[in-house]
Amino acid sequence: MIHSNISDRFIFSDGQTRLLGVFGDPIAHSLSPKIHNLSLSKLDLNYHYLPFHVRPHQLATAVHGFKALGGVGFNATVPHKVPLLSLMDSLDPAALKIGAVNTVAIAKNGQLNGYNTDAYGFITALKEKYSETLSQKNILVLGAGGACRAVLLALLDEGADNIILANSTVTKAEELASDFNHHYPQTKITPIALDFLAIDLTHIDILVNTTSLGLHGEDNFPLSIEQLPPHALVYDIVYSANTQTPLQKLANSQGLAFIDGLGMLIHQAARAFQIWTGEEMPVALVKKHIFSK
Ligand code: ATR
């Protein structure tokens, strides 16, 4: 366990302890309190990070209540990331382009500053394991939901210039492609209908799953990936702290390089941590103690 790294602050708060947290519905599954409290404790920073079960109709009340209590900042997860946009006094460029807020910092004057650190988390985890440039790679992205917007922004900012966007509801892929093509006119983003049985994988260098498939304990991923070339990288933004994701099992069986969503989770948290505290999260410690599968 982690006892040797725990300072007294992890157990005791005092009159100067500052408040951080995460708002979600549901929230009980969240790993963010562990990630942040371990890091705060290790660096002996006098903050506590708590989970808050905030229902959608109470989001604005919760935000203003948190601010009234002198909270320093909070993360947001499903279903609050998009509704938070309209409650912010300022938005960073990533939150604007993604159209969602996952991190809020409350300034001393009460100003609510919205950030999105998901794209940073995605690309930082990718670069940890993949040293090649993204330019001239054929990248297939599955899904076109909220999480996909952060992934697209990250890929485009990193120089990707050929992305196929496959979604069951093809109109959503078309809307997303046209939205991002507008911001990144030199990139080819091709929307297609996701047909798991017919999709051509033979020329794909990087396959990214941003759908929620695998998030709810499914055993199988409905795609046959045998066609992928041996050099292909498979990146599933789904994660499980204890087991392999269904797509991970497939990638392993083919001997393909694989990244799951844990790195993205840790690095988006690390960026939020840095925004609130000005300090670097001890990422290696977090990986070792919370995610050693
Ligand atoms: P998130 O914020 O996690 O991205 P979301 O916005 O609800 O969640 O998006 C979920 C994504 O998973 C969508 O791309 C969805 O496809 P549709 O837009 O066609 O609904 C995709 N998805 C969910 N279940 C799926 C399934 N069984 N097969 C294929 N795609 C699925």
Side-chain angles (χ1 to χ4, degrees):
M1 284 297 287
I2 55 180
H3 301 295
S4 59
N5 294 296
I6 297 179
S7 78
D8 286 352
R9 292 202 201 286
F10 198 64
I11 304 164
F12 303 110
S13 49
D14 60 29
Q16 296 184 51
T17 304
R18 283 171 288 177
L19 182 60
L20 297 167
V22 54
F23 293 7
D25 178 22
I27 197 62
H29 66 287
S30 175
L31 293 170
S32 295
K34 270 192 180 177
I35 296 173
H36 285 281
N37 286 321
L38 175 64
S39 304
L40 293 164
S41 156
K42 176 68 182 172
L43 300 185
D44 200 21
L45 298 172
N46 196 1
Y47 298 76
H48 275 189
Y49 184 107
L50 294 171
F52 293 100
H53 189 179
V54 176
R55 304 298 202 298
H57 70 282
Q58 287 176 321
L59 179 63
T61 312
V63 169
H64 293 298
F66 191 87
K67 176 171 142 179
L69 290 170
V72 171
F74 60 91
N75 285 130
T77 183
V78 175
H80 301 314
K81 291 186 182 185
V82 176
L84 266 181
L85 280 174
S86 62
L87 298 174
M88 297 295 107
D89 297 311
S90 82
L91 292 168
D92 83 331
L96 265 176
K97 282 189 202 157
I98 295 168
V101 167
N102 80 329
T103 300
V104 177
I106 305 177
K108 287 212 173 82
N109 65 2
Q111 179 160 322
L112 295 164
N113 299 316
Y115 299 82
N116 195 305
T117 67
D118 286 332
Y120 170 85
F122 174 87
I123 211 69
T124 306
L126 175 70
K127 287 203 247 170
E128 276 181 345
K129 297 208 176 148
Y130 190 76
S131 53
E132 293 183 38
T133 155
L134 298 187
S135 168
Q136 306 199 347
K137 296 286 188 303
N138 295 319
I139 304 177
L140 172 62
V141 177
L142 308 178
C148 185
R149 295 186 69 91
V151 167
L152 277 185
L153 179 67
L155 292 170
L156 293 164
D157 277 348
E158 198 56 33
D161 46 23
N162 188 16
I163 297 174
I164 302 160
L165 192 57
N167 197 48
S168 298
T169 312
V170 69
T171 47
K172 279 166 72 179
E174 286 165 355
E175 280 165 27
L176 209 49
S178 107
D179 199 9
F180 277 90
N181 268 324
H182 177 72
H183 290 294
Y184 296 84
Q186 49 303 55
T187 299
K188 195 170 144 213
I189 308 176
T190 312
I192 62 167
L194 173 54
D195 178 345
F196 287 111
L197 300 177
I199 197 159
D200 179 10
L201 302 175
T202 48
H203 301 294
I204 298 302
D205 301 300
I206 302 176
L207 168 69
V208 186
N209 175 44
T210 78
T211 74
S212 46
L213 285 165
L215 200 59
H216 307 294
E218 296 95 332
D219 281 334
N220 299 310
F221 197 84
L223 178 69
S224 166
I225 62 169
E226 278 117 44
Q227 277 183 349
L228 280 174
H231 71 267
L233 169 75
V234 179
Y235 191 159
D236 189 357
I237 69 163
V238 171
Y239 66 83
S240 155
N242 309 312
T243 57
Q244 296 190 345
T245 73
L247 184 55
Q248 185 170 10
K249 288 183 206 158
L250 284 183
N252 285 351
S253 70
Q254 298 288 311
L256 296 172
F258 178 82
I259 301 174
D260 72 7
L262 284 173
M264 179 176 174
L265 175 75
I266 296 172
H267 288 293
Q268 65 74 32
R271 178 83 187 98
F273 188 89
Q274 205 255 337
I275 290 169
W276 297 321
T277 68
E279 304 284 341
E280 297 296 318
M281 177 176 275
V283 165
L285 179 87
V286 171
K287 283 187 181 165
K288 184 169 163 213
H289 288 289
I290 303 186
F291 301 110
S292 50
K293 288 187 210 176

